[in-house]
Amino acid sequence: MSVTDPDERFVSQVARALRWLYDPPALMRSPLGERLAPSATSAESRARFLRMALLEAIESLNPGPKVPFRAPKSRSYDAIRLHYVEGHTVEDVARELAVSERQAYRDIRRGEADVATVLW
């Protein structure tokens, strides 16, 4: 791990916050919100800031229109967008991406790590 790579604790906090993406009370309690948002903001403001930061980080991973949906190069982005942003189950993500459930889990975990790297 280099100095620019997030530590495991940070990646875990990002993964937890992604699971809470549409749960404002849970995002208010997230230590990640306190870490990323300005300290003078309210809990509600931190939750909104965190949600927007997560969504922007996910979108920053979009490989663009020239890379087809389901292409290996875009799979982790597609997996986290489908799972966390659109709310699909892992089974649905696997079906949509035409991969096994195990591969969908791997793609989601890779996407979580990628989002953590963007936020780090």
Side-chain angles (χ1 to χ4, degrees), residues 68-87:
F69 184 74
R70 294 188 186 134
K73 196 173 186 179
S74 72
R75 247 192 5 237
S76 64
Y77 163 75
D78 294 330
I80 59 171
R81 185 182 52 75
L82 288 168
H83 186 58
Y84 292 119
V85 178
E86 296 184 18

Side-chain angles (χ1 to χ4, degrees), residues 65-118:
K66 292 186 180 191
V67 177
F69 184 74
R70 294 188 186 134
K73 196 173 186 179
S74 72
R75 247 192 5 237
S76 64
Y77 163 75
D78 294 330
I80 59 171
R81 185 182 52 75
L82 288 168
H83 186 58
Y84 292 119
V85 178
E86 296 184 18
H88 292 278
T89 64
V90 174
E91 295 81 12
D92 291 340
V93 170
R95 195 173 315 108
E96 186 71 27
L97 297 178
V99 297
S100 69
E101 284 184 35
R102 284 182 62 160
Q103 183 62 49
Y105 275 110
R106 284 192 294 268
D107 291 336
I108 290 167
R109 297 299 163 254
R110 185 177 322 114
E112 292 168 352
D114 292 345
V115 168
T117 299
V118 170

Side-chain angles (χ1 to χ4, degrees), residues 1-14 32 35-36 53 57 112-120:
M1 175 167 47
S2 76
V3 175
T4 59
D5 291 334
D7 58 34
E8 288 182 35
R9 184 169 177 233
F10 187 79
V11 174
S12 176
Q13 288 175 348
V14 168
L32 190 60
R35 184 173 186 169
L36 297 177
E112 292 168 352
D114 292 345
V115 168
T117 299
V118 170
L119 293 173
W120 184 252

